[in-house]
Amino acid sequence: MLIPLLETCKKRKRKPKLYAFHTFCDPRCPINPSGPFRDNIRFFIQECADVEDYHVNEMPVWCTLLVQENRGIVVPLYTVEETVTHSKQPFCDHCRCAGLIVGAADSGYVLMTFIYIPKEIITRDSVELNCDDDGLFGFKLKNVVAGYIGCVWKFCLHMGWSHHFVSKRKYHLIIPVDADWNKPLTDSAFGLQTHLLHGLIHCNGFGHLLCINGRGGGSNFLCGREIMDLWDRICTNLHAQKITVEDVSKKKSMDLRLLHGVAYGHPWFGRWGYRFYHGSFGVTEHKYHRALEVLSSLQLDDIIQDFSKTDQSREMTRIIRCYRDLSETCLITIRDLLRLMLTLKSQVPINPKLALAKGLSPASFPLRSSIRAAPPNKLPIREKPIKCHKFAAVIASMDSRWPTRRLHYAAEVIVNALKESESSNQSGMTRQEVRDAARLHIGDTGLLDYVLKSMNNVIVGNHLVQRAINPVHRVLEYTIQELTSSGASLAASRPETESVIQAPASIPTVESCFDVYNDVFFLYKNVLQSYPESDVCGLATQDILDSKCFIKEFPFRDDDDQLLRFICRVLPSSMELDMELSKDFSPGELIVIPLYATIGELKIAAEKALRDTYCITEEYVVTELESVNGLNDEEVVFGALKSGSEVWVKGIGIDLRTELRYEGGPDNWTVKCECGARDDDGERMVSCDICEVWQHTRCSGIEDSDTVPPLFVCRKCCSSLVPQSAEMHGFQYETSETVMLSSGIGFWEEDATRYGKAGFFDC
């Protein structure tokens, strides 16, 4: 559905604010906020959005219109401010599942969460560390600051964001599906997974990317990369702190976190800086990266050998050999092969019957980009139209760290080099020849490689740049063709990103002979998912698939301006510590004050920030700054504290009795699974009906397709009950046993535990 710009604007009561889609939220476009997220988001909706005349779940809605001129569409970006005190769901399930899941205390991969204690009161001789049976570490401070002597502070190793204080506001940023662009949001908008974009950010700057759907997910106009670029620019511009995403994206039934992880060493979201945060079923970051290393380092020659006695041997050999012939570089590992295949653009696959009719055997099908030149004295059998893309449209959909003008300049330099080669009657230029010629004008080889990668059937000015395999030398060559007046006018008149140009009789036609996606799927299914007779590869694949949660941290920026910035953290009193022994305090809040503000003004700013951000500190009063002992309120901060440092505050007024305390909710649950999980990781769990401890159904022997039994008793409780009755009836109770796996690869050694089923009963 194409939305005319004029029609969309007429539906507004007043003239709307319009912004370019691909530059929106670039630096200083349209705003350049310098404060914390809680202030920046308010400034954003005030300056860049128009309030709507309806509400979603009684929450106000603002709309920002983003224009894509080359496609003639207007994209609505909605911002909904959800006030927690009036919300039907005040707690955040996404924060609860964003916990750090680590192994058991003796696994070697223990990660301690940070507890907010001034480093000045901690010394090597003042801490006594111990661990209890529940996996909780505690320590006693000895001979330290008055008021803390003898206090035992216990905290859990496995907490994530569930311990964050409940923020007072959540902001939903939504781009609905194409068909709903001219419709108001409904009350069910928060729970839909069909939005092109849905991000949720708490007013403290911590948020979650809930869903993203490009062309493969229902959009007719926007690709996933364009939407992610927009989301990343918004988060960067508004100074978000951390954003998580649960990567369950698929393409043609292939999990992209597995496919892209093996090919690039990171998931699809890794292009924008998202990295491993936590895995399910006790998968640690160490295990995740080791699993990627195991799969990505599989040698292609070894794969051919290992599949030699299988039914897939012939097809596997064909794929590897053909893509090796196509590549300019030597393909050694499965990572090299997948990178090449994912770089190639898919084309219409060859018809096998037609190929056989031409006398080609299945094993000798021509390459995907092979050139079939017409005989010199005969007209070509058919003239095939070529779909060409304008260079401006190509770079608009690419993730680039170079500005647009630099990309255009590099393309012009490449075109000039090809024109000079054509004038000297050369048939084409190899990639290295083009690169060397362009380096005479551009020294940035990374920029040249980036642009060359996109130069295929691309229109730059009035020239068409193509690349294909030279049938004689078997190397990839770039060629250039000046468009005819009719072809150039056709390309210029089309507003779309694609132009169809009839190939001249003198131009060799490019015949599509491979379906790259089918070849990728073949490797995905047979190598990554079911490698023959290899438990190591199976375990590595499972660890990657069990790693769904990724995170991007936006670094703290202390800009060079006339402002001071501090991270304000709450230092609890001893009474508050006695009441809260199992959870950490929320992360610090960014405070921005003028250059010559006083200590008293810093206290007021910290107090205002805490009151504005969290429900539990709505009446908090700052009484003391721990870092500036001895300074009175009238003294200037500049010179006493370094901008960008942490400031610990003491005060009164934390409401420990409110239910809106932690994002994880008021309920206290215990997770203690045999895989090492100690917090909710988003996977299906079951609670023991005796000890009420939660653990994964998969780890307890309950298949995902099975229903949870109405009565479940964990293995620990079974072991305390069964032996008594077993001795009476002469039965033995089977305990868990440990199986050690060691691979021939040399660096993969993990413990795999096979457990007997726990006691669960259908009653």
Side-chain angles (χ1 to χ4, degrees), residues 49-296:
D50 296 308
V51 65
E52 297 289 287
D53 57 0
Y54 65 92
H55 289 72
V56 173
N57 294 318
E58 301 181 358
M59 307 297 173
V61 182
W62 290 264
C63 181
T64 303
L65 296 180
L66 307 177
V67 182
Q68 271 201 338
E69 295 181 356
N70 59 335
R71 297 174 187 169
I73 60 174
V74 177
V75 182
L77 171 64
Y78 293 101
T79 304
V80 184
E81 183 183 67
E82 181 182 5
T83 305
V84 168
T85 53
H86 298 92
S87 174
K88 298 178 181 179
Q89 295 181 333
F91 304 106
C92 182
D93 291 336
H94 310 289
C95 284
R96 187 183 66 184
C97 297
L100 289 172
I101 311 299
V102 301
D106 58 351
S107 67
Y109 307 120
V110 176
L111 299 176
M112 298 185 184
T113 53
F114 188 74
I115 188 164
Y116 305 124
I117 306 171
K119 61 183 180 181
E120 292 81 6
I121 68 175
I122 298 294
T123 64
R124 179 177 300 179
D125 298 329
S126 65
V127 178
E128 179 182 333
L129 187 65
N130 57 77
C131 179
D132 62 16
D133 295 336
D134 294 327
L136 294 176
F137 270 76
F139 59 85
K140 177 181 289 187
L141 300 180
K142 304 175 295 182
N143 304 322
V144 293
V145 179
Y148 294 95
I149 297 177
C151 291
V152 178
W153 293 358
K154 184 180 288 187
F155 58 98
C156 181
L157 292 181
H158 312 283
M159 283 295 175
W161 292 6
S162 59
H163 74 284
H164 283 193
F165 290 153
V166 174
S167 56
K168 300 178 73 172
R169 298 174 305 281
K170 309 174 190 176
Y171 293 91
H172 299 261
L173 291 98
I174 298 174
I175 298 179
V177 68
D178 300 358
D180 295 338
W181 283 357
N182 272 334
K183 302 176 183 178
L185 295 178
T186 63
D187 287 344
S188 62
F190 294 167
L192 295 178
Q193 293 295 316
T194 57
H195 297 312
L196 303 189
L197 170 67
H198 184 189
L200 182 154
I201 308 180
H202 300 275
C203 62
N204 64 355
F206 288 74
H208 318 276
L209 177 56
L210 303 184
C211 73
I212 177 172
N213 293 291
R215 287 198 178 96
S219 175
N220 295 321
F221 308 108
L222 301 176
C223 66
R225 186 176 297 181
E226 292 175 303
I227 301 173
M228 272 301 300
D229 284 341
L230 173 65
W231 169 251
D232 194 61
R233 293 196 303 269
I234 292 174
C235 293
T236 302
N237 189 271
L238 299 182
H239 296 183
Q241 292 198 58
K242 296 181 181 180
I243 302 293
T244 65
V245 61
E246 184 181 2
D247 185 4
V248 292
S249 54
K250 292 188 176 184
K251 192 166 188 177
K252 294 190 176 181
S253 73
M254 294 183 290
D255 289 284
L256 293 186
R257 65 184 181 279
L258 175 59
L259 183 62
H260 281 259
V262 175
Y264 302 108
H266 56 71
W268 183 78
F269 294 97
R271 299 176 180 178
W272 293 271
Y274 287 82
R275 58 173 180 79
F276 178 90
Y277 186 37
H278 74 73
S280 303
F281 303 104
V283 176
T284 64
E285 184 174 5
H286 175 82
K287 286 184 178 181
Y288 171 74
H289 289 295
R290 183 63 64 88
L292 290 179
E293 188 178 358
V294 167
L295 293 181
S296 62

Side-chain angles (χ1 to χ4, degrees), residues 5 14 19 69 110 115 201 233 318 321 335 389 412 424 441 456 509 583 625 632 650 662 670 676 689 703 709 724-725:
L5 176 60
R14 58 183 180 180
Y19 304 96
E69 295 181 356
V110 176
I115 188 164
I201 308 180
R233 293 196 303 269
R318 181 194 70 82
R321 288 180 178 175
R335 168 169 288 180
H389 300 261
E412 292 173 0
S424 59
H441 306 275
N456 185 29
T509 59
K583 292 190 178 182
L625 299 180
N632 56 49
K650 292 182 179 180
Y662 295 112
T670 301
D689 287 285
E703 298 295 335
Q724 299 177 3
S725 58

